[in-house]
Amino acid sequence: MKTKIKEKATDMFLNYGFKSVTMDDIASAIGISKKTIYAEYNNKTALIEDCVMNKICAINEGIDSIIAKGKNPIEELYEIKKYVMSHLKDEKTSPQFQLMKYYPKIHENMKSLQLSKMQKCLLSNVERGIKQEIYRPNLDPEFIARMYYSGINSIKDQNIFPVDKFPISKLMDDFLEYHLRGIVTKKGKDTLNTIINSNQQ
């Protein structure tokens, strides 16, 4: 029952927002009593924390499987972005923004997990890109990895990028292109343009 509650709650939180969805809503959607949920979780915060951490672990596993394919580093970043976007339904409610605003401790824990994971992935990506001569040789991989991670988190701030003016899917695309154009070589630029053109068709 706990797994069923967690799966349904995660889907509802991502679709409608962490603040908007109540325990009554979740119980009604599953067809159980609210008491049954409280038998598994002491409160809504505990349920949200379990949902968030479970989702992060699932996304991390997916990222690992993408990296294991050994793709071109530019293609890899685009595939990871596409994969993450398919799991986080940010377009509707920007759940991470709600998480940051209403459940800051959970958001901080999530960021800590993300930072640890993304630093390794991004560092490896930059180093491989330099070796393959699609990223500039004079880059500091640690700096580039941290700048990219920092930028990804900044564009999720709706105070800076209100969702009505900057739809999240386009914002992610624009940011990734912005990042890559600053670090690619001529060879990398050709690869980047090919990917962007194929995505627009």
Side-chain angles (χ1 to χ4, degrees):
M1 180 54 72
K2 189 170 187 175
T3 300
K4 190 175 183 180
I5 292 168
K6 182 162 49 183
E7 287 176 353
K8 190 61 181 177
T10 299
D11 185 63
M12 292 178 75
F13 288 142
L14 291 178
N15 271 305
Y16 306 110
F18 290 102
K19 180 69 174 173
S20 311
V21 176
T22 66
M23 297 293 252
D24 283 314
D25 294 332
I26 297 165
S28 177
I30 300 172
I32 59 174
S33 70
K34 191 163 64 171
K35 212 172 184 179
T36 306
I37 299 179
Y38 282 116
E40 301 290 350
Y41 295 98
N42 290 333
N43 50 49
K44 184 181 173 183
T45 301
L47 174 57
I48 288 174
E49 184 167 23
D50 196 21
C51 290
V52 168
M53 295 308 158
N54 185 66
K55 178 57 89 172
I56 289 295
C57 288
I59 289 173
N60 285 348
E61 286 174 11
I63 290 173
D64 285 339
S65 68
I66 291 170
I67 292 170
K69 294 177 183 177
K71 290 196 166 197
N72 168 298
I74 295 174
E75 289 178 299
E76 181 180 277
L77 285 181
Y78 271 94
E79 189 161 337
I80 288 173
K81 177 201 67 83
K82 186 178 178 182
Y83 174 79
V84 171
M85 287 300 296
S86 73
H87 279 262
L88 301 177
K89 302 163 186 178
D90 278 2
E91 192 75 60
K92 298 176 183 175
T93 58
S94 191
Q96 287 204 49
F97 180 74
Q98 288 199 10
L99 198 64
M100 178 176 64
K101 187 173 181 181
Y102 300 109
Y103 302 93
K105 282 189 178 179
I106 298 174
H107 184 260
E108 282 304 312
N109 288 340
M110 182 193 74
K111 275 181 69 178
S112 178
L113 273 177
Q114 281 182 324
L115 177 60
S116 174
K117 180 68 180 177
M118 292 306 290
Q119 276 299 104
K120 290 177 186 175
C121 296
L122 293 168
L123 198 58
S124 170
N125 183 279
V126 177
E127 288 170 347
R128 283 183 289 115
I130 292 171
K131 282 181 183 175
Q132 294 176 27
E133 299 181 344
I134 58 174
Y135 295 161
R136 290 188 285 108
N138 61 335
L139 298 174
D140 176 347
E142 185 78 30
F143 172 76
I144 297 300
R146 287 176 182 270
M147 282 299 293
Y148 182 74
Y149 176 80
S150 175
I152 281 289
N153 279 290
S154 294
I155 66 172
K156 291 171 185 170
D157 187 341
Q158 289 193 11
N159 292 317
I160 303 172
F161 295 100
V163 73
D164 57 325
K165 288 186 179 179
F166 301 95
I168 193 67
S169 57
K170 185 174 187 308
L171 191 58
M172 292 290 282
D173 278 337
D174 289 347
F175 176 74
L176 182 52
E177 181 181 349
Y178 173 83
H179 166 75
L180 286 168
R181 289 206 182 278
I183 65 174
V184 292
T185 59
K186 171 67 171 66
K187 179 182 174 183
K189 186 179 178 183
D190 291 341
T191 301
L192 176 59
N193 288 337
T194 299
I195 292 171
I196 290 171
N197 289 336
S198 66
N199 287 343
Q200 288 174 344
Q201 290 172 359

